[in-house]
Amino acid sequence: MEFAVVVPSGLMRVLRTVGLIEGVSTLLLFCVAMPMKYKAGMDWAVSYVGMAHGLLFILLWLLCAAAWAKGLPTKLTLMTMIGAILPGGPFFMDFKLKRYETETAAAASHPVV
């Protein structure tokens, strides 16, 4: 018999949501705050957006560790953590995490006997 390990849906929802918010914070940092700093001399923009981005990044990594501890495959966990480093990575990983969530939910509802 095969059993699908299903990461709790609440944890997956929070992981995916924080991932998307972290991805948006990366884009805000690169596309809004940094040009404000270097073109308009507004150093504060990078300070605030950068701090928020850093906190979201740490939170995302902690959520990845929690999801891994609850059964998220190691490869998908590492891809999500590395994706957080790359601009656009969190958006790609949201697609992967959603697909994993859908597949494991389907496998759990129809176990192979």
Side-chain angles (χ1 to χ4, degrees), residues 58-100:
I58 291 168
L59 179 60
L60 180 62
W61 274 52
L62 291 173
L63 287 168
C64 283
W68 177 73
K70 294 289 186 180
L72 189 66
T74 302
K75 181 179 177 181
L76 189 57
T77 303
L78 291 174
M79 285 175 60
T80 304
M81 295 172 95
I82 292 169
I85 298 169
L86 306 172
F91 303 111
F92 175 72
M93 289 314 302
D94 181 64
F95 168 75
K96 292 279 200 184
L97 290 169
K98 177 64 176 171
R99 188 170 73 187
Y100 169 79

Side-chain angles (χ1 to χ4, degrees), residues 44-58:
W44 58 268
V46 172
S47 297
Y48 293 120
V49 176
M51 185 187 313
H53 169 70
L55 291 173
L56 286 164
F57 179 82
I58 291 168

